[in-house]
Amino acid sequence: MKQSTPKTVLIVEDEQILRDAYRKILSQEGFRVLDAANGLEALDRLREASPDLILLDMLMPYMDGLTFLEQADLGRHHPHTKVIAFSNLSNQQGLNGMMQKGATMQLLKSSLSPRQLATIVRDMTADVPTGG
Amino acid sequence: MKDKPDVSRLNSDSRPGGSESFILQKAFMLAPVAMAVAAGPGLKLVHVNKCFMRLAGARRESELTGQEAGSVLARMFGPGTAQRLTAGITQPTPYQEIEVPLLSDGERYFNLTAQPLPEVSTLVCVYEITQLRAARMAGEEQLQRMRAVADVIPHKIFVASPAGEIRYLSVQWEEYTGYEVGQLMSDTEKVAALLHPDDLAKARRVWARSFRRGNAFEMDFRIKDVNGEYRWHMMRARPVGGPDGEIDMWVGSTTDIDDFRRAVQDRRELEIKAGMLMEQSQQLMELNQAKDEFISLASHQLRTPATGVKQYIGMLLEGYGGDVAPGQVELLQVAYESNERQLRIIDDLLKVAHVDAGKVALHPEATDIGALINDVVKEQSDTFHKRDQQVKFSPPRQPLVADIDPARVRMVLENLIDNAGKYSPHGRDVSVRLVNQLSEVRIAIVDQGVGIAEADVDKLFQKFSRVNNPLSAEVGGSGIGLYWAKRIIDMHHGTISVDSKQGEGSTFTINLPKESRA
C-alpha cells in the first residue's frame, strides 16, 4: 500500500499520548506526518507545509479546533486540504460548527481502531479523479 | 289653722299678721312638699298644707285635721306603709319610707319621712320622686342590658373603680376560672393567683401605673383556666370619665388569644422549617450540579487515557508493533474489548451528565426517518452478522420525514437496535418497523430475545437501573442508555415504551411528532 509520493497528514491533538499513537500508526502506513499540540501550533505548521489532510481535535488549550478553522481559512489558502474533525461525543454542537467551517468529515476519537483510522485517512487522501 | 293652739309651737310669735310667724305659716301652707303635723298620743293631724291636701284628695283642712295620721296615710299609701311610718314616728330619730306608690295614682312615687318635732308633735313630709325613680329605673335597665351584652360576648369584661377595685366581672370569668364572680370580686389575691407566676409582677406593675396615671393600657398574660391550664389572654382597659371630667370607672375586656398565639407560633415555626427546606433544596441542587460536573469532568479525564489504551492495544493487535504470538493476540483481544466497554460506559456517563445538566440542545431538521434507520442498520450489520443475526427493515417507498435532531435520534436508534441484538440469542433476527401515523412517526424495534420481567419494565428507563436476565452479565451495560434515550425522546415531545414477554422477546416503540415542538 506504500504510495509513490507520500501524502502529508497534520495531526492537531493536545494529548501527547494520542498524538504519538496517531503519528506511529500513520508513519507506518507511509504518510508524512506533522503534528501540533493546539490550533496556534497548527497555524505555524501551515506556514511551512500544505498537508493533504488535517486530523483536528476540537478541545485544545490556547486555540481550539473551531478557531483554528476560522483563522486558517483553508478554502482560500489550502484548497486541497481536507479536515477530519476528530473529537468526543460530548461536543456535538462544536462538531456541527466544524462541519460548517469546512471540516470534511467528523469522527469519534474513541470509536476507531488504528487500522480503521489508517483506512479512513488513506481513503480520504487517495488520488481520486476530479468529480469522483 | 288660725285658732289651733299647736301652731304656736312652730314659732314663739304666732299672731296673725305677725311678721315672722305669718311668713312661716304661709311658707308651710304653700311649700311644694306635702307636709302634715301630727300631735298627741293618737298622732292626730293638727296641720296639713295645701300640697298634702291635694295628695289626700281633701278640699279643706278640716277634712283632715283631727284624724289619725295613720289612717289618712293608709288611705293615701296603703296600710303597710302607714303602719311602718306611724311605728317609725314613735322613734326619736327620723324615719323614712322610700319609693312608695300613691294609691290613687299608681304611677306616682313618693318618699315619706317622719321627723320628730320638739315636745309632742311630728312633721310628716311627702316628697314626690316619680321622675327620679324613672331615671334610676332607666339607668338600671340600661345596666342590665349592658350586663346581658357583656355576658354574651366572647370576652371577659370587668369594671373597676377609679382606684382599681373590681366592681363588676362578667359571667365569662366564672365560666373560665370556675370561681364565682362574687368570690373573685371580694378577694383580689384570688384573682392574682390566677395569673401565671411569670406574668404576675409585670401585670401588677402595668395595672398600678395605669391606674395611677389614668392611662389606657393593653397587656398580655396567662390566666389559669378551670382545669388548671394557663392560656394567653390580652387585656385592654381604659378609663371612662364622668360628666365632671374625672375618671368615673375603668372598663376592660380580656380576650383569650391562646389559639391565635399558637397559630402565630406555628406559622413562625413553619416559616423557619420552609426556610430550612429551601436551603436544603438549594444545597441538594448545588450538590446535584456538583455531581453532574464531577461525572462530566471525571468521564472526560478518563476518556483520554482510555482512548490511548485502545490505540496502543489496537496497534499491537493490528501489527503496528511487529508480530505478536497467537496466544498473546488472544489476551490482547480481551484487553481491547474490555477497554471498548470502558469507553462505552464513559460515553454513556458523559451523555447522561450532559442531558441532566440541561446542556443538550436539540437541532431539529427535516429528516428522512427511513434513510436514518437504514444507515444505522447497515452500520450494525457486521456486528449482527457475527451473532448470526439479521436486522430486517424495509424503508417506505415514499420518504417519511420528521423534524428531529438526526444525530441524537440516530444514537437512540443505535442503542435500541444494538440492545435488541445483544439481548437476543444468536441466530434470532431483529426487525424494525416504521409506521406513518397522522401527526407522528412510529418506530418499533422488535426482537425475539430474553424479554423483560413485568416487575422490571417500570425501572427500565430509570437512571443506573440494571435488569437481570440471562444475557445481562454478558452484555454488561451501564444502565443509563435507555434513560438517556428516554430523555432525548422526551425532549422531542415523543414517547418511548416497551412491550415485553419474558422468554419471548421485547418490542420498543418510539413515537415522534412530525413537526418539531422542541
Side-chain angles (χ1 to χ4, degrees):
Chain A
M1 295 298 272
K2 289 273 163 78
Q3 294 159 1
S4 48
T5 322
K7 300 287 183 182
T8 305
V9 179
L10 170 60
I11 300 163
V12 190
E13 164 67 61
D14 60 324
E15 290 291 340
Q16 195 183 339
I17 189 172
L18 294 180
R19 209 162 60 231
D20 288 351
Y22 301 145
R23 167 181 275 282
K24 278 191 172 69
I25 296 162
L26 296 179
S27 300
Q28 285 200 27
E29 291 289 339
F31 293 97
R32 177 178 166 237
V33 179
L34 305 173
D35 63 23
N38 55 56
L40 277 178
E41 284 187 22
L43 287 177
D44 281 347
R45 300 289 171 277
L46 284 188
R47 278 188 268 278
E48 301 152 9
S50 193
D52 299 281
L53 179 81
I54 301 175
L55 214 53
L56 181 63
D57 189 16
M58 281 184 56
L59 284 177
M60 293 176 293
Y62 306 115
M63 185 186 283
D64 63 14
L66 196 59
T67 316
F68 164 77
L69 280 181
E70 279 166 4
Q71 300 211 353
D73 197 2
L74 296 174
R76 203 163 132 205
H77 305 296
H78 304 275
H80 77 281
T81 302
K82 291 174 180 169
V83 178
I84 294 178
F86 207 37
S87 195
N88 296 330
L89 185 85
S90 48
N91 315 111
Q92 192 65 40
Q93 235 171 313
L95 277 174
N96 293 340
M98 300 269 261
M99 296 305 281
Q100 281 163 15
K101 297 282 176 205
T104 321
M105 182 186 220
Q106 56 183 49
L107 285 177
L108 213 59
K109 259 188 222 177
S110 58
S111 67
L112 300 172
S113 79
R115 187 75 67 202
Q116 284 168 325
L117 173 67
T119 306
I120 288 169
V121 172
R122 193 177 306 114
D123 286 352
M124 283 188 72
T125 55
D127 291 314
V128 178
T130 318
Chain B
M1 128 185 241
K2 53 186 180 278
D3 49 1
K4 295 289 188 296
D6 304 276
V7 176
S8 65
R9 293 191 182 156
L10 288 173
N11 199 287
S12 53
D13 182 6
S14 62
R15 283 171 301 170
S19 63
E20 204 167 346
S21 168
F22 181 75
I23 291 167
L24 280 173
Q25 275 184 40
K26 277 283 177 202
F28 175 80
M29 283 308 286
L30 299 173
V33 175
M35 289 192 282
V37 177
L43 280 175
K44 297 219 167 117
L45 294 176
V46 288
H47 296 292
V48 290
N49 71 355
K50 286 196 186 295
C51 189
F52 194 93
M53 286 191 286
R54 273 198 300 278
L55 274 185
R59 285 191 186 142
R60 286 183 296 277
E61 214 180 340
S62 58
E63 287 176 35
L64 298 172
T65 51
Q67 293 194 41
E68 284 179 353
S71 59
V72 172
L73 289 168
R75 283 202 299 277
M76 292 165 76
F77 296 107
T81 306
Q83 251 169 31
R84 278 192 302 279
L85 196 72
T86 46
I89 286 171
T90 57
Q91 304 298 316
T93 48
Y95 180 80
Q96 195 172 36
E97 276 284 304
I98 56 168
E99 286 192 15
V100 185
L102 185 66
L103 287 184
S104 61
D105 184 353
E107 303 217 332
R108 296 177 72 185
Y109 283 82
F110 295 84
N111 282 359
L112 282 67
T113 63
Q115 171 78 41
L117 293 175
E119 299 175 30
V120 291
S121 58
T122 295
L123 174 66
V124 175
C125 291
V126 181
Y127 315 85
E128 177 152 17
I129 47 106
T130 306
Q131 284 180 350
L132 276 175
R133 183 178 179 276
R136 185 181 60 75
M137 296 282 284
E140 264 174 22
E141 202 176 313
Q142 208 168 357
L143 195 62
Q144 283 298 326
R145 266 192 227 126
M146 279 184 64
R147 285 188 173 176
V149 170
D151 286 349
V152 220
I153 59 174
H155 307 275
K156 302 170 193 67
I157 305 296
F158 73 86
V159 175
S161 73
E165 295 145 350
I166 299 170
R167 290 280 184 256
Y168 165 77
L169 292 173
S170 65
V171 71
Q172 286 86 347
W173 285 97
E174 212 164 88
E175 290 164 3
Y176 181 80
T177 63
Y179 289 109
E180 278 180 22
V181 160
Q183 267 179 293
L184 291 173
M185 277 164 57
S186 61
D187 187 354
T188 46
E189 281 315 299
K190 194 154 270 168
V191 178
L194 288 170
L195 262 59
H196 192 283
D198 294 349
D199 305 333
L200 184 60
K202 187 190 164 198
R204 278 192 203 278
R205 211 164 48 238
V206 173
W207 183 270
R209 193 180 53 213
S210 304
F211 276 81
R212 197 169 58 243
R213 295 183 184 167
N215 292 337
F217 66 90
E218 188 177 307
M219 63 177 161
D220 290 1
F221 47 70
R222 284 158 285 183
I223 308 177
K224 201 178 350 184
D225 71 6
V226 66
N227 301 315
E229 283 167 21
Y230 288 99
R231 290 178 66 80
W232 278 100
H233 283 71
M234 181 188 65
M235 177 179 277
R236 267 187 190 154
R238 65 182 186 88
V240 179
D244 52 2
E246 291 286 301
I247 293 175
D248 217 20
M249 59 178 174
W250 284 78
V251 179
S253 71
T254 308
T255 309
D256 188 329
I257 53 163
D258 206 70
D259 292 342
F260 175 72
R261 273 181 83 116
R262 224 180 283 273
V264 169
Q265 181 70 20
D266 286 353
R267 197 182 142 183
R268 212 169 288 158
E269 279 168 16
L270 270 180
E271 278 171 1
I272 291 170
K273 274 183 197 155
M276 279 163 62
L277 279 177
M278 287 280 286
E279 210 172 294
Q280 279 174 0
S281 146
Q282 183 67 28
Q283 283 170 351
L284 280 176
M285 275 167 65
E286 283 167 12
L287 203 64
N288 198 39
Q289 204 176 335
K291 181 213 70 185
D292 287 344
E293 281 166 12
F294 169 76
I295 292 178
S296 178
L297 190 75
S299 314
H300 208 79
Q301 295 300 321
L302 285 170
R303 192 211 291 263
T304 301
T307 307
V309 170
K310 174 171 173 140
Q311 293 307 318
Y312 286 90
I313 297 177
M315 281 157 73
L316 281 175
L317 269 174
E318 292 175 341
Y320 290 94
D323 290 340
V324 184
Q328 291 169 333
V329 169
E330 211 172 290
L331 297 179
L332 287 171
Q333 195 64 46
V334 175
Y336 190 82
E337 278 163 18
S338 181
N339 167 258
E340 291 237 279
R341 191 173 143 198
Q342 184 184 15
L343 279 167
R344 269 202 311 277
I345 293 171
I346 292 169
D347 280 350
D348 280 353
L349 282 172
L350 266 172
K351 281 197 294 189
V352 167
H354 269 245
V355 82
D356 280 352
K359 284 183 187 166
V360 171
L362 296 184
H363 301 281
E365 53 187 77
T367 306
D368 181 344
I369 305 293
L372 184 71
I373 297 172
N374 225 12
D375 276 0
V376 177
V377 170
K378 267 189 193 161
E379 197 180 81
Q380 297 200 355
S381 62
D382 278 356
T383 320
F384 273 79
H385 188 70
K386 282 179 194 161
R387 288 195 293 256
D388 256 348
Q389 293 168 336
Q390 266 194 333
V391 186
K392 295 176 179 164
F393 173 64
S394 317
R397 283 179 202 160
Q398 296 293 322
L400 189 44
V401 176
D403 278 336
I404 55 156
D405 182 326
R408 261 51 178 265
V409 172
R410 184 192 180 101
M411 283 192 264
V412 171
L413 292 172
E414 281 170 356
N415 183 293
L416 291 177
I417 294 172
D418 185 47
N419 276 350
K422 281 182 190 163
Y423 290 106
S424 297
H426 283 225
R428 295 275 177 84
D429 292 342
V430 169
S431 58
V432 181
R433 294 173 198 149
L434 174 59
V435 185
N436 187 5
Q437 307 275 81
L438 200 59
S439 59
E440 293 177 328
V441 292
R442 170 174 293 176
I443 306 162
I445 294 126
V446 188
D447 67 44
Q448 307 164 63
V450 292
I452 303 146
E454 211 177 317
D456 290 334
V457 167
D458 284 344
K459 50 181 186 178
L460 207 59
F461 295 102
Q462 289 170 14
K463 203 170 6 179
F464 301 120
S465 68
R466 296 284 313 273
V467 169
N468 284 323
N469 63 46
L471 288 173
S472 55
E474 189 182 316
V475 173
S478 57
I480 40 187
L482 286 179
Y483 167 77
W484 184 84
K486 181 171 169 22
R487 290 293 304 265
I488 293 298
I489 299 301
D490 285 348
M491 286 174 75
H492 281 87
H493 300 279
T495 58
I496 180 166
S497 60
V498 65
D499 186 21
S500 184
K501 256 198 185 143
Q502 225 172 347
E504 291 183 21
S506 308
T507 300
F508 282 81
T509 308
I510 295 172
N511 284 299
L512 285 167
K514 287 180 186 167
E515 281 180 28
S516 166
R517 283 187 280 150

